Amino acid sequence: MALPVTYIQVVAVERVTPRTARITFEADALDDSVGRTPDQQIKLCFPKPGRTEPVLPGGGDDPTGWYQAYLAVPEDERPWMRSFTVRGRRPGTRRLEVDFVLHGDGGPASAWADRARPGDRLGMVGPSELYARPVPLATAVAGADWVLLAGDETALPAIATLLAALPAGIRAVVYAEVADEAERQPLATPADLTVRWVYRDGAAPGGPLTDAVRAADLPGGTPFAWLAGEASAVRAIRRHLVEERGLAKASVEFAGYWRHRLTQDDAPTAEDFADAQEKLAQAG
């Protein structure tokens, strides 16, 4: 299975909330499968200062080999790389939509998105099962009485695509943490949906979401749970669901998208390694 690598170019920028920019890209090459299934993860490569587009190594059948080629790019030219979820695909085109959270801390992705204009170019790696397996949504939902989706604003693109893919009639409960009421987004689904918006209002990320799920009066029966967002919050919610609510580990999909006070350029922590090992074991 080849690892797709291509350049993408901005064709439109929309502010869907004060802190979220939805950017539409035209890809130089785009597989037909992109944007057809929920929670498709990609990696975007951002150019270093002074460059109009990133230096992008070629693709291959081995993600480790591609990453070694990426690391071989001289440091002053090596692009910043960040993970995102495909928010949507324009049917019949090579266009896709990606949502960026504008957190204003000077991070390369947020800073780039805040000033993005049509014609700007990035590199894109994936989506590919080589580094991110698809969520087994159909199988999981078939064995569940209801669905729980919980995450912060970084998880909203994935939550939106998962909700759109749910079958009609199944009950779905979403807990979504955002900065404040202005960051709410519409979520469409054929499912029977309940959304609980959780506002940080200046609190540390992840804490309000964790507290809200712990205090939640959740439906009875056996759920399928999907969790994503700040890593320590995801870890705490998963532990609560398994140890205190009695959910089977196999019925909880989880992903730590980001780490408070750390970036993707920082070394993994011991907890990051433990999460990765458990996800590998669960996938196997």
Side-chain angles (χ1 to χ4, degrees):
M1 179 185 298
L3 185 64
V5 179
T6 188
Y7 283 100
I8 56 177
Q9 179 169 297
V10 176
V11 295
V13 180
E14 174 192 4
R15 285 290 181 93
V16 293
T17 74
R19 297 181 180 90
T20 302
R22 179 163 300 157
I23 301 183
T24 302
F25 296 95
E26 178 99 25
D28 288 359
L30 196 64
D31 188 89
D32 286 343
S33 64
V34 176
R36 308 298 188 196
T37 56
D39 193 21
Q40 284 191 328
Q41 297 178 35
I42 56 176
K43 297 182 183 298
L44 297 184
C45 299
F46 298 83
K48 285 291 179 69
R51 305 191 65 90
T52 58
E53 64 180 40
V55 176
L56 199 60
D61 294 338
D62 180 3
T64 303
W66 182 91
Y67 189 65
Q68 292 304 316
Y70 164 78
L71 293 177
V73 176
E75 188 172 357
D76 62 341
E77 299 180 357
R78 188 186 309 143
W80 291 291
M81 188 162 58
R82 296 292 185 265
S83 299
F84 288 85
T85 301
V86 176
R87 179 60 178 82
R89 169 77 179 268
R90 300 289 179 88
T93 73
R94 295 195 307 275
R95 295 188 175 187
L96 69 157
E97 297 169 338
V98 179
D99 284 1
F100 291 76
V101 178
L102 308 177
H103 40 73
D105 63 359
S110 175
W112 180 90
D114 198 35
R115 61 176 183 269
R117 299 293 184 270
D120 291 348
R121 284 169 67 81
L122 297 180
M124 184 176 80
V125 182
S128 174
E129 294 181 32
L130 289 169
Y131 64 76
R133 74 184 183 95
V135 173
L137 187 62
T139 301
V141 170
D145 298 313
W146 61 283
V147 174
L148 171 65
L149 306 174
D152 57 28
E153 53 267 84
T154 66
L156 283 177
I159 288 174
T161 62
L162 288 163
L163 286 173
L166 287 177
I170 190 165
R171 186 172 186 182
V173 178
V174 171
Y175 276 79
E177 177 188 296
V178 293
D180 52 43
E181 189 173 0
E183 294 303 304
R184 293 171 57 148
Q185 298 182 28
L187 297 170
T189 179
D192 178 10
L193 177 63
T194 300
V195 182
R196 306 296 187 194
W197 292 99
V198 181
Y199 306 130
R200 278 192 300 278
D201 289 329
L209 179 65
T210 303
D211 291 344
V213 175
R214 282 175 172 159
D217 182 13
L218 298 176
T222 303
F224 164 69
W226 181 96
L227 317 172
E230 199 282 322
S232 63
V234 168
R235 201 173 289 125
I237 294 170
R238 178 173 179 263
R239 190 178 299 121
H240 164 73
L241 293 176
V242 172
E243 296 178 1
E244 299 178 39
R245 302 250 187 189
L247 272 67
K249 287 186 177 181
S251 68
V252 183
E253 287 281 328
F254 65 101
Y257 281 174
W258 63 286
R259 299 171 296 170
H260 190 40
R261 297 192 176 94
L262 295 173
T263 75
Q264 291 186 23
D265 300 317
D266 294 312
T269 66
E271 289 181 316
D272 294 330
F273 280 121
D275 286 349
Q277 290 173 347
E278 186 155 357
K279 287 177 72 69
L280 286 172
Q282 191 168 310

